Amino acid sequence: MRRLEVHKTPGEKNSLLHCWKIKNPLLVIWQFLIISICRFMPSLRAKVWLIRLIRVKVGKNTAFGLMSMVDVFWPELITIGENCIVGYDSVILCHEFLVNEWRIGPVEIGRDVLIGANSTILAGVKIGDGAIIGAGTVVHKDVPPGAFVIGSPMQIKERGKVDE
């Protein structure tokens, strides 16, 4: 079960067209610039420093792969534990803009978690310590500690027993 705060769209237009009323546009632009720099930043240390600058809580010895990205609107809702890897081109989201509503929810990632390349972590999800998220997985619900999940829709697999 995802932990989401649901808000009705104010007015007739879809919720994304109201994004500037929902969140300060200058703050979003600042966060977008920092995240865009981080996507191409080769220095892992500098990347973590910049990500912390936009209020993402990042534990020691955590690394973000090239092109990985955190939520542009609510990065402050992301917590990542120590010794994690966020793989190449992965995305961590804390919001969803829908036609008639918008939702936000915190993302909590435990320690020693591996998020494989091209994965997407959706808003309101908690990933337990030691979990492995396989490449290309869309994480749409909580992941227990030590679990190995893969696919879209996400499926929990036994470690070392992946279907081919």
Side-chain angles (χ1 to χ4, degrees):
M1 184 62 134
R2 294 195 292 156
R3 290 160 292 289
L4 296 172
E5 196 178 289
V6 179
H7 304 270
K8 289 292 178 195
T9 300
E12 295 179 15
K13 299 175 186 172
N14 73 63
S15 63
L16 187 55
L17 295 173
H18 291 279
C19 69
W20 303 120
K21 297 175 191 169
I22 296 168
K23 196 74 174 184
N24 180 334
L26 294 176
L27 180 60
V28 174
I29 291 166
W30 164 251
Q31 291 168 170
F32 173 78
L33 291 172
I34 296 296
I35 292 165
S36 296
I37 291 167
C38 287
R39 293 195 75 194
F40 298 97
M41 174 69 64
S43 168
L44 299 176
R45 242 186 227 170
K47 188 180 295 197
V48 168
W49 183 83
L50 286 167
I51 289 171
R52 285 179 178 145
L53 192 63
I54 59 170
R55 299 170 294 144
V56 176
K57 294 166 244 12
V58 181
K60 291 180 182 178
N61 302 315
T62 287
F64 290 82
L66 191 65
M67 302 300 289
S68 61
M69 182 171 175
V70 297
D71 192 274
V72 172
F73 286 91
W74 285 276
E76 68 274 12
L77 296 179
I78 299 171
T79 302
I80 303 173
E82 295 182 4
N83 203 41
C84 294
I85 296 174
V86 178
Y88 175 87
D89 206 24
S90 292
V91 179
I92 302 172
L93 296 172
C94 293
H95 77 278
E96 299 172 351
F97 286 114
L98 306 173
V99 175
N100 296 315
E101 67 186 29
W102 56 279
R103 308 169 184 168
I104 61 170
V107 171
E108 298 174 30
I109 299 171
R111 55 183 298 135
D112 302 315
V113 172
L114 169 62
I115 299 172
N118 295 304
S119 295
T120 301
I121 313 301
L122 296 180
V125 167
K126 184 174 184 175
I127 299 173
D129 294 345
I132 297 175
I133 311 302
T137 300
V138 176
V139 180
H140 66 283
K141 60 184 178 180
D142 289 352
V143 175
F148 173 54
V149 299
I150 192 163
S152 181
M154 180 186 90
Q155 300 172 23
I156 297 177
K157 299 283 186 179
E158 287 185 51
R159 286 195 183 190
K161 296 189 179 185
V162 179
D163 298 334
E164 294 186 19

